[in-house]
Amino acid sequence: MIANARWRPASAGPGTSTVPSGDRRSRRRRLRPVDLPADEVTVALTSLSPAHREILDQTVLRNRSVNDAAAALGFPVATVKSRVHQALRALHAALEDRGATA
């Protein structure tokens, strides 16, 4: 859950690829959790705009693909991708402002 962890790219071991061929979902970067206090993440999330919270809820918190979130929200896929990127940058900035980043 996002309230308990932040995710960072994990280094791939020898002979492994972080972008395997095949399924589109399998091309996501491999991530590993980084512990953050839940209250820090909660405060940072509440400091985001409602649009940023909504897009993170539909993608990260509900573990939906960008395509599924676009269908649920009625937005084009490119719009969802852009908003997720902007929302994650805003969340990172909010966490940095609180001194909660690693």
Side-chain angles (χ1 to χ4, degrees):
M1 183 170 168
I2 196 167
N4 294 326
R6 186 179 76 197
W7 297 89
R8 285 216 160 145
S11 59
T16 62
S17 171
T18 58
V19 184
S21 61
D23 182 25
R24 185 177 170 112
R25 285 183 175 212
S26 67
R27 287 189 271 170
R28 293 182 182 167
R29 291 189 299 174
R30 298 178 192 272
L31 301 173
R32 63 180 171 81
V34 175
D35 290 330
L36 282 177
D39 59 329
E40 294 290 337
V41 177
T42 301
V43 171
L45 281 170
T46 58
S47 72
L48 298 180
S49 70
H52 284 160
R53 284 194 305 270
E54 178 184 39
I55 202 73
L56 290 178
D57 176 59
Q58 289 294 319
T59 55
V60 176
L61 298 176
R62 293 178 190 233
N63 198 28
R64 288 185 175 166
S65 69
V66 173
N67 291 339
D68 292 342
L73 294 169
F75 296 142
V77 173
T79 301
V80 173
K81 288 180 181 182
S82 174
R83 290 185 183 185
V84 167
H85 177 75
Q86 293 167 3
L88 289 174
R89 287 184 65 188
L91 180 60
H92 187 263
L95 288 167
E96 279 186 338
D97 289 347
R98 298 189 54 75
T101 58

